[in-house]
């Protein structure tokens, strides 16, 4: 009973906060370091709050394994890296159609090696060689083209340059 009441109260609070906002938006974007991005932004009391996720598309082959195969797939076919971050930001509206947001990105980066030989029909497998925590910072400029749609550009020390489309509600 207590948990269901808490869920109901949380729902009412979030609904009230979201409906009281001057503007909310969902955005989808692409970063120059081959990353797909999604974010939620809300503006209230002349402050912009931003939370998002970014994930780099990699060329890792096959499935990930913890140990290299001992009897096949011993040929290294390449190396690469892949990261995933959660992005937090805060900014301000420049005018009714434009927002500037400073962001911080926190995540992890995996460095991997691809392995294969002629016996793999699906391209082989990959093994993560190292994982490290990563931190970065950036800036985003969003501009509304209409009440329901806008565009954004940004730069971040992890993602590189990025472009996005945001949908206001």
């Amino acid at each position: 009973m207590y948990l269901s009441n808490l869920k109901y109260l949380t729902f009412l609070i979030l609904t009230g906060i979201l409906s009281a906002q001057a503007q909310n938006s969902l955005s989808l974007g692409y970063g120059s370091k081959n990353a797909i991005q999604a974010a939620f932004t809300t503006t209230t009391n002349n402050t912009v709050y931003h939370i998002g996720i970014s994930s780099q598309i990699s060329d890792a082959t096959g499935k990930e394994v913890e140990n290299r195969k001992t009897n096949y797939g011993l040929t290294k076919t390449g190396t690469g890296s892949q990261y995933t971050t959660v992005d937090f930001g805060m900014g301000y509206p420049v005018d009714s159609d434009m927002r500037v947001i400073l962001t911080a990105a926190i995540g992890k980066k995996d460095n991997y090696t691809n392995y294969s030989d002629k016996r793999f029909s699906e391209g082989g497998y990959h093994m993560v060689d190292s994982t490290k925590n990563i931190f970065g910072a950036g800036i985003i400029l969003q501009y509304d083209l209409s009440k329901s749609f806008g565009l954004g550009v940004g730069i971040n020390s992890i993602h590189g340059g990025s472009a996005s489309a945001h949908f206001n509600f």
Side-chain angles (χ1 to χ4, degrees), residues 79-99:
T79 60
S81 63
Q82 176 180 347
Y83 68 80
T84 300
T85 64
V86 177
D87 307 325
F88 302 96
M90 196 168 161
Y92 63 94
V94 176
D95 63 26
S96 62
D97 295 329
M98 188 181 304
R99 290 164 297 289

Side-chain angles (χ1 to χ4, degrees), residues 38-76:
F40 173 77
T41 304
T42 187
T43 304
T44 181
N45 298 329
N46 289 327
T47 304
V48 179
Y49 300 98
H50 173 91
I51 186 165
I53 186 166
S54 297
S55 186
Q56 186 178 36
I57 302 168
S58 75
D59 62 353
T61 56
K63 69 176 189 172
E64 181 180 318
V65 299
E66 290 187 21
N67 297 308
R68 206 168 104 189
K69 307 285 185 184
T70 56
N71 57 351
Y72 64 99
L74 303 177
T75 305
K76 288 183 182 181

Side-chain angles (χ1 to χ4, degrees), residues 98-125:
M98 188 181 304
R99 290 164 297 289
V100 174
I101 306 164
L102 299 175
T103 62
I106 302 167
K108 76 171 190 150
K109 180 178 180 179
D110 292 332
N111 296 305
Y112 60 85
T113 302
N114 290 326
Y115 295 94
S116 187
D117 68 20
K118 293 179 183 175
R119 291 179 269 191
F120 281 96
S121 60
E122 69 277 353
Y125 64 95

Side-chain angles (χ1 to χ4, degrees), residues 141-162:
L141 179 65
Q142 289 183 336
Y143 184 77
D144 293 334
L145 299 172
S146 70
K147 284 189 173 237
S148 60
F149 179 76
L151 298 174
V153 294
I155 190 160
N156 184 288
S157 59
I158 297 173
H159 316 308
S162 64

